[in-house]
Amino acid sequence: MFKINNLNKIILTKGDNAQFDIRIYNKEGEEVEIKPDDVITLTVKKNADGEAVITKTAEELNTIYFIPNDTEDLDAGLYVYDIQYENGFGEINTIVSSFFEIIGEITEWVN
């Protein structure tokens, strides 16, 4: 399961695949064109002062992909995350920060 609620909280089932596109808007409400030199990074931590447990860089300019490896070794629970946008000029802006919840999986696959 993957969900982003109206408070930008991300909910992801441990060990699942997921993806989402990021859209950035300027103060006039116009969408910012993501260019090849721009970098969008998502960072997940147990708490704001902790070490990153997940770091993902957007692919195809604006898509974040999660694979099972990203969460399978993490405990279910509540984390924090942010997404930063760095343009080709080196300007960095945090475009969102909120909670990231990893929920336990019910079905476990046996090989």
Side-chain angles (χ1 to χ4, degrees):
M1 181 183 89
F2 174 74
K3 178 180 174 180
I4 300 176
N5 73 13
N6 61 340
L7 298 174
N8 294 316
K9 177 181 177 182
I10 295 175
I11 302 166
L12 178 62
T13 300
K14 181 177 178 168
D16 277 8
N17 290 78
Q19 71 181 60
F20 66 98
D21 290 337
I22 298 170
R23 305 270 184 252
I24 301 171
Y25 297 90
N26 63 22
K27 61 185 175 185
E28 288 80 30
E30 301 162 332
E31 189 170 347
V32 174
E33 179 185 353
I34 307 299
K35 298 182 175 125
D37 289 344
D38 298 345
V39 178
I40 298 172
T41 305
L42 174 140
T43 304
V44 179
K45 298 179 175 184
K46 189 64 180 166
N47 58 60
D49 297 327
E51 291 187 28
V53 295
I54 301 173
T55 303
K56 305 296 288 186
T57 301
E59 297 180 25
E60 300 168 8
L61 300 182
N62 68 339
T63 303
I64 297 284
Y65 294 94
F66 293 103
I67 59 173
N69 250 8
D70 293 329
T71 58
E72 64 188 8
D73 292 332
L74 297 177
D75 293 330
L78 196 60
Y79 296 75
V80 295
Y81 82 96
D82 71 10
I83 298 174
Q84 288 192 332
Y85 167 66
E86 181 177 357
N87 66 23
F89 303 108
E91 298 169 338
I92 298 173
N93 291 288
T94 299
I95 56 175
V96 65
S97 63
S98 189
F99 294 101
F100 189 104
E101 184 174 7
I102 298 173
I103 58 175
E105 58 188 335
I106 304 302
T107 302
E108 293 192 25
W109 297 99
V110 178
N111 292 327

